[in-house]
Every structure is written in C-alpha cells, then in structure tokens.
Amino acid sequence: MEQYIIKGGQPLKGEVSIGGAKNAALGILAAAIMTDETVTIENVPDVRDVRVMLQAIEGIGAKVKYVYNNTVQINGKSISDVRVDGEYVKRIRASYYLIGALLGKYKKAEVALPGGCNIGTRPIDQHKKGFEALGADVRIEYGMIKASASRLKGRHIYLDVVSVGATINIMMAAAMAEGKTIIENAAKEPHIVDVSNFLNAMGANIKGAGTDVIRITGVPRLHGTTYSIIPDQIEAGTFMFAAAATGGDVMIKDVIPKHLEALTAKLVEIGCDVEEFDDAVRVIGKKNLKSTNIKTLPYPGFPTDMQPQMAVVLATARGTSVITESIFENRFKYVDELVRMGGNIKVEGNVAIIDGVERLTGASVCAPDLRAGAALVIAGLVADGYTQIEDIYYIQRGYEAFDKKLQSLGARIETVDSDKEIQKFKMQVC
Ligand code: UD1
C-alpha cells in the first residue's frame, strides 16, 4: 500500500498553484448530464473523488472525454439508465448529486446511498425534504435512494439545517422544475455559487446563490456550455497552513483571496504575515505563533474542512487553544495520531483543547479521513525526524499531486510503496 514518508523540519518556500475546487467539480460534473448537448468543463481537479464521479456518469451511459489535462467533455444525450449503483459510487458522498441532476432531467433517479469520509452522522433528510417538496416520491430501500415524479413543481423550501449538499441538490432539481422555487436558509459556500453559475451558463435561471435565499425559475431544457471551475479554497488553505506551521514563506497562486478570508484572519491573529494579491496570497510563518480559539461554521465562517489543519498549526503555538467543531461530530479522529507525534491535545465532546508544545516528533500514523490526512502531512513537515503516513488514499481523494506540490516548495516527502523505497528516501535526505 502506498504511504507518504516525510522528513520534517524544512520551512516551505516558493510558489504553488492551486487547482480547481473538488467540491464544486463534483456538483458541476453531475449537473453536466442535465443537457443533451456537449459540456466542456475546465480546471477539473484530477483527484480520486472526481474520477469516481466520472465513472458513475459513464456508468449510466453518458459520454466522458478527457480533452487534455484538467479539461473534460461530457455529453448526457446517450444516458440509458437512471440507476447509479456499484461499489465505487458508495465511496463518494457526492454521488448523491446525481439524484438532483437525474430527477431534474428525467424525473427519476436511483442512486446507491453515499459513503465518503467517516466524519460523523451524515443524514440526507434535507435533500429528501427538498425533493418531496418539489413533488417527488422519495424512498430509501435496499441501500438505494429512489426518487421519482410525474412532474416537478417549484415550491418554497425552508432548510432546517444549513446544508451544502442539500442546497446544491435541490437547486439542480428545481432548475428543471415547473415554476418558481425559493430555497431559504441555503448554504452560501463558494462552490454553491459556482454550481449555480454553471447551471445558468447552461440556460438555467437561478438568482441569489451565495446568499441564504436562492430563487430558481425552472426551465424546460438546458444547453451545452464551456465552464471553468473555481480554485479550491481548501487546497489553498492547506498550503497556507503548511506555510504557517513550518515557518515558511509561500506564494499560493490561482486563488480567490475573498474565499480565504476566514483563514487569513486566523493566521494574522496568531502572528503570521499574510499578503493578498488579485489572485494569490503570500503566507509568511513566524516563530512563536500565538494560540487562538476556533469554531467551525458554515461559510463565511471557519470551514470544518480546515479544522484539522488548523489544529496542527496550533499544536506548536504558544499557549492553549480551543477548537469547537460544530458541523460534524466525528472530526477529531486525527487527535490520537497527533498525540503520538508529541501533541498535547484533549478532546471533550465536540471541543479539542490544545496546549502548544515546543516541537512535534515523527511517528508512524494513519490518515483517518481526507482533511485529517492532510493535517497529518503538515504535522510530518513540522516534526523532527521521519513520519510515515498510511492510508493516503484518503488524501488522494481530494488533493492533486500533493506530494509533488510540497516537494516543489522544498518539502522532503515521497510516496513510497515498499521498505526498500523508504530506505532509499532516508539515504537521500539524511
Ligand atoms: C459538504 C462538503 C464537505 C464539507 C461540508 C461542510 C462536498 C462534496 N462536501 O459536505 O467537504 O465538510 O459540506 O462544509 O461538498 N445535514 C443534515 N441533513 C441533511 C444534510 C446535512 O442534518 O440532509 C447536516 C450534516 O449532518 C452536517 C451539516 O448538516 O452536520 C452540514 O452538512 P452538509 O453541508 O450537507 O455537508 P455535505 O454537503 O455532506
């Protein structure tokens, strides 16, 4: 099994370019099947979750063509099946976007219940509520979500919890419903705006994405378009925090600085320098970073997907920091691993209390999920000595060429598959 080996202690320096947003891509790729015309999507990140989504789309008969690196063409005319099944589909949570897309276009969808990262209970009641409000019959049986309707009719839908997935899913189905839909208490994440912009580029009529009230006037059909996905705010944030934690100096390019404001604010608060440019941010880490408190919240609050990486930054900051996880209840699984690396962290319910230590030390650890895995990589870059990270397929779900990008910043990290390769790495970096 592939793993990362890291020799820590090297401040990251240089420039790194950020790819397209995985979470936007998953929604956009699903939405691309809603027209019979060809859709060209640029800046598609080449990560495992995206490949699974493309496999699922091909699996129901759509044509998928990689034009060149990171550009994909999809044509949904040849779709012959509204049943999305198979082991691979259960591996990504976002396979549920195919319900909204298929239901909108064909008024029928059957999709295997989603998997994804095990970061806590992840109900889909709000998705179901939205589809039912539009007039669909929605059942969960035999491990599948089955939705069908003779016609979809626009409605006023109030979400009980702010859900990214439900907002996007309902938006897609409503884009091809009859009449007007209003989604209240909608999520406001940048990728919701991106999916909405994409649907509008295909001829949909969606207004208000990025605010908590989204108004959709259904259209009978959508058409082909060419669209470029926004930069990945979480990949960008991960490099920002890696720069901060290692005391480095990194220019993170091809980003939208506005999407990173919650992260920038925290880095400045703990003592880093952050410079903003039109499409880049430069993070300069400092010695003796200060402690702080974080509470994860829906956008524009501090993102839950950056919580583990922030914990690593704070693990060696001066003083005591408190992190409150308010979105997912099982997102502290990396803490045991960080403690093995010398971190002083206690978890009580949805709160982690971090007492900053002088240094972390390398150890053999396992990535428990995607973002926690990325956080452990940052910990390895900070730690004295060697860190081996197993289960890196989680990390590969959401980061394109993570090891290569870190290497370009001077990190000593390698993907290895055998003891021999580990020994070779140790010989090279010692
Ligand atoms: C998306 C992101 C994920 C991110 C999360 C929060 C994708 C593919 N994944 O996940 O990386 O961590 O947003 O920013 O975009 N909830 C319900 N009922 C529902 C749906 C959600 O109670 O029907 C709850 C969840 O349990 C959670 C909260 O709402 O506590 C937010 O979840 P949601 O925004 O839906 O997350 P995802 O879309 O699954």
Side-chain angles (χ1 to χ4, degrees):
M1 282 293 240
E2 282 190 335
Q3 45 178 277
Y4 287 145
I5 176 129
I6 302 169
K7 171 104 186 280
Q10 194 76 14
L12 298 187
K13 288 207 157 64
E15 293 184 353
V16 65
S17 185
I18 297 306
K22 170 188 81 95
N23 287 346
L26 294 168
I28 286 172
L29 292 172
I33 64 159
M34 295 179 72
T35 169
D36 281 348
E37 296 176 21
T38 299
V39 172
T40 304
I41 306 162
E42 300 165 348
N43 209 24
V44 179
D46 184 15
V47 295
R48 193 160 287 179
D49 277 13
V50 163
R51 289 195 289 270
V52 173
M53 178 59 91
L54 289 171
Q55 236 182 319
I57 289 172
E58 268 187 314
I60 51 173
K63 296 228 160 34
V64 175
K65 188 168 140 203
Y66 266 97
V67 185
Y68 39 79
N69 277 355
N70 304 107
T71 297
V72 177
Q73 272 182 346
I74 294 176
N75 188 301
K77 191 175 180 182
S78 49
I79 289 175
S80 51
D81 200 357
V82 292
R83 186 179 164 92
V84 186
D85 202 355
E87 268 316 302
Y88 58 93
V89 175
K90 294 178 203 141
R91 274 189 247 134
I92 60 162
R93 179 149 185 86
S95 51
Y96 58 38
Y97 287 143
L98 288 165
I99 310 171
L102 288 167
L103 185 65
K105 187 180 182 192
Y106 299 108
K107 315 294 172 244
K108 194 166 166 40
E110 292 188 16
V111 178
L113 271 169
C117 273
N118 179 19
I119 53 179
T121 328
R122 297 178 82 171
I124 53 160
D125 55 302
Q126 299 304 305
H127 304 237
K128 190 167 179 280
K129 169 176 157 169
F131 297 142
E132 283 171 345
L134 295 174
D137 175 50
V138 186
R139 290 164 200 221
I140 298 178
E141 26 182 59
Y142 307 107
M144 306 284 291
I145 311 166
K146 301 182 178 178
S148 61
S150 48
R151 51 196 284 228
L152 293 177
K153 260 182 88 62
R155 283 283 299 276
H156 200 127
I157 298 163
Y158 186 92
L159 294 179
D160 302 322
V161 291
V162 179
S163 160
V164 172
T167 302
I168 291 179
N169 233 341
I170 297 166
M171 201 165 71
M172 289 196 288
M176 293 188 81
E178 294 165 31
K180 278 192 171 41
T181 297
I182 298 173
I183 307 174
E184 294 222 45
N185 200 25
K188 297 181 278 201
E189 268 68 2
H191 48 292
I192 289 172
V193 180
D194 211 31
V195 177
S196 157
N197 286 343
F198 172 68
L199 285 163
N200 283 342
M202 289 204 300
N205 183 348
I206 303 173
K207 295 197 174 84
T211 75
D212 48 20
V213 183
I214 301 180
R215 295 167 200 276
I216 304 154
T217 305
V219 296
R221 79 188 51 78
L222 298 170
H223 56 71
T225 188
T226 296
Y227 191 83
S228 185
I229 292 173
I230 53 164
D232 196 309
Q233 90 196 93
I234 305 300
E235 187 195 11
T238 301
F239 280 99
M240 289 169 78
F241 285 15
T246 60
D249 179 352
V250 178
M251 182 73 87
I252 296 133
K253 297 194 317 185
D254 302 323
V255 300
I256 299 174
K258 172 113 192 84
H259 294 169
L260 304 170
E261 275 173 355
L263 309 178
T264 300
K266 276 294 161 191
L267 287 179
V268 170
E269 191 183 316
I270 63 173
C272 295
D273 283 346
V274 183
E275 291 173 35
E276 285 185 8
F277 301 88
D278 283 350
D279 61 354
V281 288
R282 178 179 174 195
V283 176
I284 306 170
K286 294 280 156 76
K287 282 204 164 32
N288 298 324
L289 294 177
K290 289 177 273 185
S291 57
T292 187
N293 298 333
I294 304 275
K295 183 172 185 185
T296 62
L297 288 167
Y299 188 83
F302 191 93
T304 173
D305 284 358
M306 285 302 302
Q307 179 263 103
Q309 300 91 314
M310 189 67 194
V312 173
V313 179
L314 296 175
T316 55
R318 271 185 300 155
T320 303
S321 302
V322 177
I323 295 186
T324 307
E325 172 55 60
S326 71
I327 310 286
F328 294 113
E329 77 269 23
N330 201 8
R331 247 194 149 160
F332 287 129
K333 284 190 296 176
Y334 62 89
V335 165
D336 286 346
E337 305 296 279
L338 219 45
V339 168
R340 286 160 55 74
M341 296 178 73
N344 186 355
I345 309 174
K346 283 188 209 73
V347 176
E348 283 170 21
N350 68 337
V351 174
I353 301 146
I354 305 174
D355 277 316
V357 292
E358 285 278 308
R359 60 175 197 150
L360 296 175
T361 48
S364 220
V365 294
C366 287
D369 61 62
L370 165 58
R371 305 304 173 184
L376 291 175
V377 171
I378 301 177
L381 297 172
V382 172
D384 288 348
Y386 294 99
T387 296
Q388 274 174 245
I389 303 179
E390 288 179 36
D391 295 341
I392 61 168
Y393 52 86
Y394 280 118
I395 303 171
Q396 292 162 340
R397 285 187 41 202
Y399 291 88
E400 182 173 340
F402 197 33
D403 51 350
K404 302 280 177 302
K405 288 188 182 185
L406 287 167
Q407 283 164 5
S408 77
L409 298 172
R412 293 169 298 190
I413 177 170
E414 196 71 59
T415 305
V416 289
D417 210 359
S418 65
D419 284 345
K420 206 168 146 198
E421 286 177 9
I422 293 171
Q423 291 316 321
K424 193 171 150 204
F425 173 82
K426 289 186 174 173
M427 299 255 293
Q428 277 166 355
V429 298
C430 69

